[in-house]
Amino acid sequence: RKEVEQDPGPFNVPEGATVAFNCTYSNSASQSFFWYRQDCRKEPKLLMSVYSSGNEDGRFTAQLNRASQYISLLIRDSKLSDSATYLCVVISGGGDKIIFGKGTRLHILP
Amino acid sequence: DGGITQSPKYLFRKEGQNVTLSCEQNLNHDAMYWYRQDPGQGLRLIYYSQIVNDFQKGDIAEGYSVSREKKESFPLTVTSAQKNPTAFYLCASSIAGGALSYEQYFGPGTRLTVT
């Protein structure tokens, strides 16, 4: 199993729809998790941290499932501007191991 | 206006030359990082530094060197020993300590092309 794995997509979703994707990780001792978004040829930008209790920021909800070793990102009422690549990040080893997923490409269709 | 700056945005070099990429931050962050990103790949950690005058190798440090003489600056040198230097190089910083220490903020990146 790869250390961090994401479905590369692309996910083509109509505007206004709800979309969700997961990121699986192999190290059960991983302690911190994040979602970033990256626009084409730009730097990644922090979207949200993923807490054990889950967290919500507007239309975005992040969840952590430690038993099944994955994190998820749900986007409600998707906008054209949500089109981007979404990267998950998993931190383990006391912070010495930082693993980025390869990203999931999302296209919101008008 | 706080942030991370990287320059230049595009850099072209001939094979066999060393090249230094700059990264400056005025966020007062203790930790700084260097990553490279290749097409269709995730970011891979090259080096990181949690405090001035100290740094650690990441997963792909071979062929690279760094220095951390000032809190604000973390330059990366791509040496001629790096076999495939053409890539998108990203610098990031974060507050050290606690759960927030890994919320990283990225600079705009430098696209290095070596021919």
Side-chain angles (χ1 to χ4, degrees), chain A residues 43-44 96-100, chain B residues 4-11 19-25 30-38 42-50 54-78 82 85 87-94 104-112:
Chain A
E43 74 273 22
D96 291 339
K97 194 76 173 168
I98 304 172
I99 310 272
F100 276 76
Chain B
I4 304 175
T5 56
Q6 291 184 246
S7 61
K9 192 170 183 178
Y10 298 96
L11 188 55
V19 59
T20 297
L21 312 183
S22 77
C23 177
E24 305 278 332
Q25 55 97 2
D30 288 303
M32 297 186 75
Y33 312 80
W34 273 106
Y35 295 89
R36 69 176 276 168
Q37 187 176 35
D38 296 282
L43 278 70
R44 291 183 291 168
L45 183 63
I46 304 173
Y47 268 99
Y48 65 102
S49 168
Q50 295 184 321
D54 188 44
F55 47 83
Q56 286 77 41
K57 292 181 179 179
D59 298 320
I60 55 164
E62 186 174 349
Y64 299 98
S65 65
V66 293
S67 63
R68 187 85 187 277
E69 297 176 2
K70 299 187 300 181
K71 187 175 183 178
E72 302 80 15
S73 179
F74 191 40
L76 173 75
T77 297
V78 184
Q82 168 49 233
F88 185 34
Y89 289 88
L90 289 156
C91 178
S93 70
S94 68
Q104 298 180 34
Y105 296 87
F106 285 83
T110 292
R111 291 194 180 275
L112 173 65

Side-chain angles (χ1 to χ4, degrees), chain A residues 4 6 22-23 25 30-37 45-51 55 62-64 71-73 86-92 95 97-101, chain B residues 33 35 94-95 98-106:
Chain A
V4 174
Q6 293 185 256
N22 293 342
C23 166
Y25 61 95
S30 299
Q31 67 255 38
S32 300
F33 309 87
F34 302 88
W35 284 105
Y36 285 75
R37 71 168 278 165
K45 293 190 175 176
L46 180 65
L47 184 63
M48 55 201 309
S49 306
V50 187
Y51 304 125
N55 51 312
Q63 298 277 357
L64 167 62
I71 61 172
S72 64
L73 180 67
Y86 290 84
L87 310 174
C88 64
V89 182
V90 177
I91 313 288
S92 58
K97 194 76 173 168
I98 304 172
I99 310 272
F100 276 76
Chain B
Y33 312 80
Y35 295 89
S94 68
I95 300 169
L100 289 177
S101 65
Y102 309 118
E103 287 188 352
Q104 298 180 34
Y105 296 87
F106 285 83

Side-chain angles (χ1 to χ4, degrees), chain A residues 5-102:
Chain A
E5 203 157 4
Q6 293 185 256
D7 186 331
F11 290 6
N12 297 310
V13 175
E15 192 175 8
T18 296
V19 59
F21 30 83
N22 293 342
C23 166
T24 58
Y25 61 95
S26 60
N27 185 349
S28 60
S30 299
Q31 67 255 38
S32 300
F33 309 87
F34 302 88
W35 284 105
Y36 285 75
R37 71 168 278 165
Q38 185 174 26
D39 294 298
C40 189
R41 299 181 69 81
K42 298 283 190 180
E43 74 273 22
K45 293 190 175 176
L46 180 65
L47 184 63
M48 55 201 309
S49 306
V50 187
Y51 304 125
S52 297
S53 55
N55 51 312
E56 187 174 314
D57 183 3
R59 298 181 294 108
F60 297 83
T61 300
Q63 298 277 357
L64 167 62
N65 186 318
R66 283 199 182 273
S68 299
Q69 293 181 207
Y70 72 87
I71 61 172
S72 64
L73 180 67
L74 182 140
I75 306 174
R76 286 180 298 276
D77 187 25
S78 53
K79 312 289 184 193
L80 295 176
S81 57
D82 294 333
S83 296
T85 297
Y86 290 84
L87 310 174
C88 64
V89 182
V90 177
I91 313 288
S92 58
D96 291 339
K97 194 76 173 168
I98 304 172
I99 310 272
F100 276 76
K102 294 183 180 180

